[in-house]
Amino acid sequence: MPLPAGRGELSSALADALVREPGETTLPAGRPLREADPYGDDLQLGLYLCYELHYQGFAGVDDGWEWDPDLLRLRQALERRFLAALRADVTAHDEVTAALEGLLVESGDGAGVSHYLRDEGEPWQLREYIAQRSLYQLKEADPHVWVIPRLRGEAKAAMAAVEYDEFGAGRGERVHAELFADLMADLGLDTTYNGYLDAASAQMLAVVNLMSLLGLHRALRGALVGHFATVEITSSPSSDRLAQALRRMGAGEAAVFFYTEHVEADAVHEQVVRHGVIDGLLRREPALAPDVAFGVDATVFLEDRLAGQLLGAWRDGHSSLRIPL
């Protein structure tokens, strides 16, 4: 994947720097950092560029940038802005149980994206949703692996068991990221990893950046567990609705299979994560309970922002993408 186009002074300067050798250019600093909206396109793309160096990287970008000290300092500044905004804005729960309770009961208003796509969405809106989510799903579960060396005992074993399923249980064609690529191909979408990075909204970038941020920091291991729990708990019912949406719109079996697979798998994963990973972690490290709750709350906050952006655009008859399909 080539580097995407910048979305402001900060991300443009960073993209320009990354095509040079580490140490041969000046990275953005000062005013662009101070003034960038923590949830906006410029800062979120800047963070995404930094994080992607720990995944697949970009064509034409030297691998030495991954651990370049100056780039790490820039990333730290961006992370601090993002985290400070989240800690100020999310609905904070004092206890993990309270944070999870809202996830375990389906809302009666049916106002989410999966409800909309199931009941009234159009094929172009479904394709846009899949294009946006591809930034997340084509690296599904990758950042969560980083927490495994930071866990012990039951929590480690339970987390590894769930990840084993996410990565196809030893079968390459059943890796969930590969199944999502099959879904995209069925809908006539580009299956290239990060293929829709230029088109994706800032809200989508923030959703992906959160899991990278939490995964890369040992100090945030509790929040990463909370993030993973949120994903697994909410996945099964929303996957069922999305499978219904795909069937209603006449999608092929490969497309439907991705979500029907998640209906069953994530119903099991929910129990393993709640009782194995979370309970196992907090028995050993009870002081991490507020961090686990923060991971849940921050995930819900950013997913709600993304849902608002998607539904707001669609109900106005507009594309949710920066570059329409």
Side-chain angles (χ1 to χ4, degrees):
M1 177 67 194
L3 279 166
R7 302 189 186 185
E9 186 176 357
L10 188 158
S11 56
S12 295
L14 177 55
D16 289 344
L18 290 176
V19 299
R20 298 176 172 84
E21 295 294 318
E24 292 184 357
T25 186
T26 301
L27 293 170
R31 182 185 52 77
L33 288 178
R34 293 193 303 271
E35 296 181 358
D37 178 354
Y39 303 121
D41 279 296
D42 200 19
L43 186 142
Q44 289 299 325
L45 180 59
L47 261 183
Y48 199 98
L49 296 179
C50 293
Y51 289 144
E52 192 56 40
L53 300 176
H54 297 291
Y55 294 104
Q56 301 295 318
F58 295 100
V61 175
D62 191 295
D63 287 343
W65 276 111
E66 181 180 4
W67 298 109
D68 179 77
D70 292 333
L71 184 61
L72 293 178
R73 279 189 285 271
L74 170 61
R75 195 188 88 189
Q76 182 184 58
L78 300 177
E79 289 175 335
R80 285 175 173 171
R81 293 287 310 282
F82 187 30
L83 264 179
L86 288 172
R87 293 194 185 281
D89 295 340
V90 302
T91 300
H93 289 91
D94 295 329
E95 298 180 351
V96 175
T97 300
L100 293 175
E101 279 179 351
L103 306 179
L104 297 171
V105 179
E106 280 278 273
S107 172
D109 59 14
V113 172
S114 61
H115 294 88
Y116 178 88
L117 290 172
R118 180 195 64 187
D119 298 336
E120 56 184 301
E122 299 179 27
W124 68 271
Q125 295 166 335
L126 178 63
R127 294 178 76 243
E128 283 197 355
Y129 176 74
I130 298 301
Q132 294 250 35
R133 295 298 302 188
S134 68
L135 270 65
Y136 186 111
Q137 302 294 164
L138 292 181
K139 55 168 63 76
E140 183 177 1
D142 287 350
H144 299 117
V145 172
W146 287 322
V147 82
I148 293 177
R150 299 158 183 171
L151 302 176
R152 297 176 62 196
E154 182 182 5
K156 181 190 285 282
M159 190 74 187
V162 175
E163 290 285 74
Y164 181 68
D165 284 348
E166 297 286 348
F167 294 133
R171 297 173 57 187
E173 74 278 7
R174 294 298 294 267
V175 172
H176 285 183
E178 296 297 326
L179 295 179
F180 194 82
D182 293 340
L183 180 162
M184 296 179 72
D186 193 289
L187 296 180
L189 293 168
D190 180 6
T191 62
T192 303
Y193 178 84
N194 276 333
Y196 291 101
L197 178 52
D198 272 320
S201 66
Q203 290 84 350
M204 187 67 239
L205 297 186
V207 166
V208 183
N209 283 337
L210 177 67
M211 66 177 182
S212 299
L213 167 61
L214 300 180
L216 282 166
H217 291 271
R218 187 180 66 85
L220 297 172
R221 62 194 180 279
L224 190 281
V225 166
H227 177 280
F228 193 55
T230 306
V231 172
E232 296 301 323
I233 290 171
T234 58
S235 173
S236 188
S238 64
S239 291
D240 183 54
R241 288 188 288 270
L242 289 166
Q244 294 179 57
L246 285 159
R247 289 193 184 99
R248 179 174 68 81
M249 298 182 204
E253 191 54 39
V256 175
F257 180 74
F258 175 82
Y259 285 112
T260 56
E261 167 77 3
H262 279 68
V263 172
E264 180 177 349
D266 289 345
V268 175
H269 293 171
E270 172 199 334
Q271 298 297 315
V272 177
V273 174
R274 286 173 56 205
H275 301 298
V277 182
I278 293 179
D279 290 353
L281 172 66
L282 295 183
R283 274 194 293 272
R284 286 181 178 268
E285 300 187 88
L288 292 182
D291 289 345
V292 176
F294 172 72
V296 175
D297 294 333
T299 304
V300 171
F301 174 77
L302 291 177
E303 288 285 359
D304 285 348
R305 290 183 77 255
L306 174 62
Q309 185 260 330
L310 292 168
L311 295 174
W314 294 341
R315 285 173 174 149
D316 287 342
H318 302 311
S319 172
S320 67
L321 297 168
R322 299 176 69 253
I323 304 172
L325 297 176

